[in-house]
Structures are given as structure tokens and as C-alpha cells.
């Protein structure tokens, strides 16, 4: 799995935007994640991720599976990857660059060790808290990378192994299907040709734009 983007300083003079609170879909249960990671990853685009009520719309993800060398689980069970080999519907959190936390949703049957990395979120709820945690105002930069998502939502190693359908985490199904782009994953050298990255086409909240068709 890739390292998170290095921190970026952003200086803004614009006034902070207020929360946007569109209607939420039904809350997803752990059973939702007991399927192929390749089905789940694109279905998470447009879903809402909240941690203690703070978060927004998932706009970019990547799928990982133990059968390919970019996955942390490729070399088998370790203390770090143990949660990936457990039942689906739990959070896998790892450290990147020795600084950033990154969050993943464990998928598939126990022992399969597949997960979806949350790469970017469009901030919707708790903007003031996210700005305070990230030390910047520009909402486009708050969650535009996996490390930024965790920083904005205050996710750390203490959340590793948390159930995805229990407090403080809530994931709500999308209420409409956005136009989804796909392409190769970012920041990896192994299995870099696999087109397992998904996102909202044209979103300004992505960590990196998708190549144009």
C-alpha cells in the first residue's frame, strides 16, 4: 500500500465555508463488506464516512488484496496486518512516512486479507473541527489524501480494529450513484498496473485527478 502524501502548507484568506448536510443513506453494516473488494471499492464512492460525526462524502478509494504485492497482507500475517486477516467490516489503520495514519476498510471473508484504502473525502460535516486539526481553511485540501483524511477525522492507531458499524465510526450508503472514474493506484511500484483506484469523476476533492479519457 502506498505512503501518504507529504504534508502541504496551504495559506488561504477566504472565509471558512459552513457545514453542508445532505440527506444520509442507511448506515452500512459489517455484512456489507463481506464481499469482493472489487465490488465494494466502487460502491463506496459517494458513501458518507463519519468519525464522531465529522467527515463527508468518500470521493476516492483504492482496492488492495493479499494476492498482489502492493498489499501489506501479501507476505502473510504480522502484528500490523492481523486485522486484515480477520472478519470483514473492521478498520485497518497503518502509519505512513512515520508520520501519517491511513485508514482502510477490511473486506471479504476472514482470511482473505483485502481492504479498501480511503484516499479522499469531500468535507461535509464538522468543517470547523477539520480545519482546526489540519491547521488550514481551504476545504479542498482538508481531506485530499489518505493521511489528510485521518488527520482531519482524528483517526489514529487507537481506531485500528474498530467495527465500521459502531461508534465512533458510521458509514452511510450513497443516495445516488455518481459518475465514477477508475485508473491505476498511486504511489506504489509493485502491481502498479492494476486499475484498482476509483473516484468521483471531475471532483475537486481528489488527491490527484484521473487521466482524461
Amino acid at each position: 500500500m502506498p505512503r501518504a502524501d507529504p504534508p502541504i502548507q496551504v495559506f488561504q484568506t477566504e472565509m471558512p465555508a459552513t457545514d453542508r448536510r445532505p440527506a444520509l443513506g442507511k448506515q452500512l453494516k459489517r455484512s456489507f463488506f463481506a464481499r469482493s473488494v472489487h465490488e465494494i471499492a466502487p460502491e463506496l464512492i459517494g458513501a458518507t464516512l463519519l468519525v464522531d460525526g465529522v467527515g463527508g462524502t468518500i470521493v476516492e478509494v483504492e482496492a488492495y488484496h493479499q494476492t498482489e504485492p502492493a498489499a501489506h497482507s501479501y507476505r502473510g500475517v504480522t502484528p500490523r496486518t492481523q486485522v486484515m486477516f480477520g472478519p470483514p467490516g473492521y478498520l485497518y489503520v497503518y502509519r505512513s512516512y512515520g508520520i501519517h495514519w491511513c485508514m482502510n476498510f477490511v473486506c471479504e471473508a476472514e482470511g482473505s486479507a483485502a481492504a479498501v484504502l480511503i484516499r479522499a473525502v469531500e468535507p461535509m460535516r464538522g468543517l470547523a473541527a477539520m480545519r482546526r486539526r489540519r491547521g488550514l481553511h481551504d476545504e479542498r485540501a482538508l481531506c485530499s489524501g489518505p493521511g489528510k483524511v485521518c488527520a482531519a477525522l482524528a483517526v489514529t492507531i487507537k481506531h485500528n480494529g474498530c467495527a465500521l458499524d459502531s461508534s465512533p465510526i458510521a458509514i452511510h450508503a450513497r443516495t445516488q450513484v455518481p459518475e465514477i472514474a477508475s485508473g491505476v493506484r498511486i504511489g506504489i511500484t509493485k502491481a502498479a498496473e492494476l486499475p484498482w483506484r476509483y473516484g468521483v469523476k471531475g471532483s475537486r476533492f481528489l488527491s490527484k485527478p484521473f487521466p482524461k479519457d
Side-chain angles (χ1 to χ4, degrees):
M1 293 182 183
R3 294 181 174 181
D5 298 330
I8 299 174
Q9 286 187 316
V10 181
F11 300 92
Q12 297 290 331
T13 57
E14 63 187 44
M15 293 298 291
T18 57
D19 282 6
R20 301 187 300 280
R21 293 182 174 268
L24 295 174
K26 66 178 181 180
Q27 187 171 343
L28 299 179
K29 302 299 183 183
R30 276 172 280 174
S31 57
F32 172 86
F33 298 92
R35 297 176 292 135
S36 168
V37 70
H38 303 298
E39 294 178 12
I40 295 167
E43 288 183 22
L44 286 171
I45 300 301
T48 298
L49 166 63
L50 301 174
V51 180
D52 282 324
V54 175
T57 303
I58 298 172
V59 296
E60 184 185 352
V61 302
E62 288 178 343
Y64 288 86
H65 194 277
Q66 72 171 116
T67 56
E68 46 90 14
H72 290 171
S73 53
Y74 182 68
R75 297 187 181 278
V77 181
T78 67
R80 182 174 74 163
T81 64
Q82 186 173 5
V83 67
M84 291 184 70
F85 287 87
Y90 289 84
L91 197 64
Y92 165 50
V93 180
Y94 69 89
R95 178 82 90 172
S96 176
Y97 282 111
I99 301 173
H100 305 284
W101 298 111
C102 298
M103 72 165 75
N104 305 259
F105 298 166
V106 176
C107 303
E108 302 194 2
E110 186 170 356
S112 185
V116 176
L117 171 68
I118 307 303
R119 282 203 61 90
V121 168
E122 179 179 348
M124 292 284 188
R125 298 172 181 241
L127 282 166
M130 285 189 270
R131 287 189 169 100
R132 182 177 65 254
R133 293 164 179 169
R134 294 277 289 113
L136 53 84
H137 289 293
D138 184 1
E139 64 179 335
R140 292 172 297 178
L142 290 174
C143 300
S144 56
K148 297 174 184 178
V149 171
C150 284
L153 275 55
V155 171
T156 68
I157 193 62
K158 73 179 184 181
H159 294 94
N160 188 52
C162 284
L164 297 176
D165 58 358
S166 300
S167 180
I169 301 169
I171 306 168
H172 294 267
R174 60 194 181 192
T175 56
Q176 57 185 3
V177 180
E179 187 173 4
I180 297 176
S182 63
V184 297
R185 296 173 295 185
I186 297 173
I188 58 175
T189 55
K190 298 177 181 179
E193 76 284 356
L194 296 175
W196 292 359
R197 176 183 172 228
Y198 305 92
V200 175
K201 188 173 183 178
S203 171
R204 64 194 184 103
F205 297 94
L206 298 173
S207 66
K208 183 178 179 180
F210 285 84
K212 294 183 178 179
D213 295 334

